[in-house]
Amino acid sequence: MKKLFLFVLCASLFVGCKKEAAMEPAAATVDSTKTVAPVEIADAKYSEMGKKSLEALSKGDMDAWMSNYADNAKYYWNSGDSLVGKPAIDKYWRDRRTNVIETITFDKHIWLPIKVNEKGNVPMDGYWLLAWYKTTAKYKGGKSMTQWIHTTFHFDANDKIDMVNQYVDMAVIREAMPQMK
């Protein structure tokens, strides 16, 4: 009986000690104050800036729309076309909005502001706004097009847009545009 009692006592201590050890949190081996995530969610103000920018373009308020851009901004399309510098971006979009596009609307927005701490495969670190939205444009001449567009905006240290990458289906746009005479 003493042996059985001694065995049960030892087993109880073993199991009890094992549970306490399992409940103790593991000691942190990495100083979390020095670890920075490669990417993190950024301030929602970037989403608001994106929304206001699209509202200005939709209204045809090109001065308000261009006020978001840095002087050295670059605008790239997935087709390989690009615009370099605020004056070139302004000239292209002001002409397009005044002489080519009658109305343009943006619906079903999805906004994701991020801060890239380690650029890796991304062209620049810093603040980015990833955007997806349904675009409907009616062109002068009567035709229209609707498509989902994905746009990435990069912001400089002054919260001005210095790089835009826009992914569009140019075939849909060309089909809806008025024929050149």
Side-chain angles (χ1 to χ4, degrees), residues 146-175:
T146 299
Q147 68 172 301
W148 278 89
I149 294 178
H150 171 50
T151 307
T152 64
F153 304 89
H154 182 268
F155 294 86
D156 67 11
N158 299 313
D159 286 341
K160 295 290 185 184
I161 299 168
D162 62 357
M163 181 189 288
V164 175
N165 296 287
Q166 193 169 66
Y167 304 89
V168 299
D169 182 352
M170 290 303 295
V172 176
I173 294 170
R174 281 192 293 274
E175 185 178 313

Side-chain angles (χ1 to χ4, degrees), residues 1 19-20 35 37 43 55 57 68 75 82 84 94 107 109 130 142 168 176:
M1 185 72 168
K19 284 183 182 176
E20 283 184 30
T35 303
D43 192 317
E55 287 172 9
L57 184 59
N68 298 300
Y75 203 108
S82 63
V84 177
R94 194 173 294 271
D107 298 311
H109 310 134
L130 311 180
V168 299

Side-chain angles (χ1 to χ4, degrees), residues 17 19 33 45 47 53 66 73 79 102 117 120 152 172 181:
C17 291
K19 284 183 182 176
T33 59
K45 73 179 183 180
S47 297
S53 178
M66 285 307 301
S79 61
E102 189 174 309
N117 297 316
T152 64
V172 176
K181 295 180 182 180

Side-chain angles (χ1 to χ4, degrees), residues 39-43 112-115:
V39 177
E40 57 190 276
I41 301 297
D43 192 317
L112 180 60
I114 62 171
K115 181 178 182 217

Side-chain angles (χ1 to χ4, degrees), residues 13-26:
L13 287 173
F14 179 74
V15 171
C17 291
K18 188 82 166 164
K19 284 183 182 176
E20 283 184 30
M23 286 193 238
E24 289 181 21

Side-chain angles (χ1 to χ4, degrees), residues 40-139:
E40 57 190 276
I41 301 297
D43 192 317
K45 73 179 183 180
Y46 295 103
S47 297
E48 290 305 314
M49 292 165 70
K51 288 176 191 175
K52 288 180 181 176
S53 178
L54 289 185
E55 287 172 9
L57 184 59
S58 186
K59 291 176 185 174
D61 186 350
M62 300 311 292
D63 292 333
W65 189 71
M66 285 307 301
S67 71
N68 298 300
Y69 285 84
D71 291 337
N72 64 341
K74 297 175 181 87
Y75 203 108
Y76 300 103
W77 285 277
N78 57 303
S79 61
D81 291 337
S82 63
L83 300 167
V84 177
K86 188 174 181 174
I89 296 167
D90 183 41
K91 181 177 186 262
Y92 174 84
W93 280 106
R94 194 173 294 271
D95 177 64
R96 192 144 183 91
R97 189 61 186 90
T98 304
N99 300 317
V100 179
I101 299 171
E102 189 174 309
T103 62
I104 189 165
T105 58
F106 305 97
D107 298 311
K108 303 184 188 229
H109 310 134
I110 301 169
W111 303 96
L112 180 60
I114 62 171
K115 181 178 182 217
V116 176
N117 297 316
E118 297 174 13
K119 67 181 187 174
N121 292 335
V122 179
M124 294 189 288
D125 58 1
Y127 293 98
W128 287 87
L129 177 60
L130 311 180
W132 297 263
Y133 41 84
K134 186 173 94 174
T135 304
T136 301
K138 182 177 178 198
Y139 293 89

